[in-house]
Amino acid sequence: MSDEINNDSFKTEMIAEIKRMQMELNELKNIKRNIIEQSKKRKPARKSAAKKKAVKRKPRRR
């Protein structure tokens, strides 16, 4: 009987610990998301470099 009680209390403690971990992970994800959003706001938009046109060479005269 005491084994069942210990097992049940162990399960409830583990479930509570897992829920705490999930909450902490969610907090960390929110912090990361906020940091990424702030860094996007600070950086100016990159201008795409103009594509270089291929230069056709004139044939060499002899």
Side-chain angles (χ1 to χ4, degrees), residues 31-61:
I31 292 170
K32 179 182 174 185
R33 195 175 300 132
N34 290 338
I35 290 171
I36 290 172
E37 287 174 2
Q38 288 175 358
S39 66
K40 283 182 182 178
K41 288 179 185 176
R42 289 183 194 155
K43 292 181 184 176
R46 288 185 179 180
K47 294 180 180 178
S48 58
K51 291 185 180 179
K52 293 183 180 180
K53 294 182 180 179
V55 178
K56 293 184 180 177
R57 294 185 181 187
K58 294 180 181 177
R60 195 166 75 177
R61 294 187 180 187

Side-chain angles (χ1 to χ4, degrees), residues 12-45:
T12 54
E13 288 175 15
M14 288 304 294
I15 290 171
E17 185 66 27
I18 290 169
K19 286 182 181 180
R20 271 187 245 123
M21 288 179 182
Q22 287 176 334
M23 289 176 65
E24 289 180 23
L25 278 172
N26 287 334
E27 286 180 34
L28 290 173
K29 286 179 187 177
N30 290 336
I31 292 170
K32 179 182 174 185
R33 195 175 300 132
N34 290 338
I35 290 171
I36 290 172
E37 287 174 2
Q38 288 175 358
S39 66
K40 283 182 182 178
K41 288 179 185 176
R42 289 183 194 155
K43 292 181 184 176

Side-chain angles (χ1 to χ4, degrees), residues 1-13:
M1 188 74 175
S2 65
D3 289 339
E4 287 182 26
I5 295 170
N6 287 340
N7 197 19
D8 289 340
S9 63
F10 175 77
K11 284 181 185 179
T12 54
E13 288 175 15

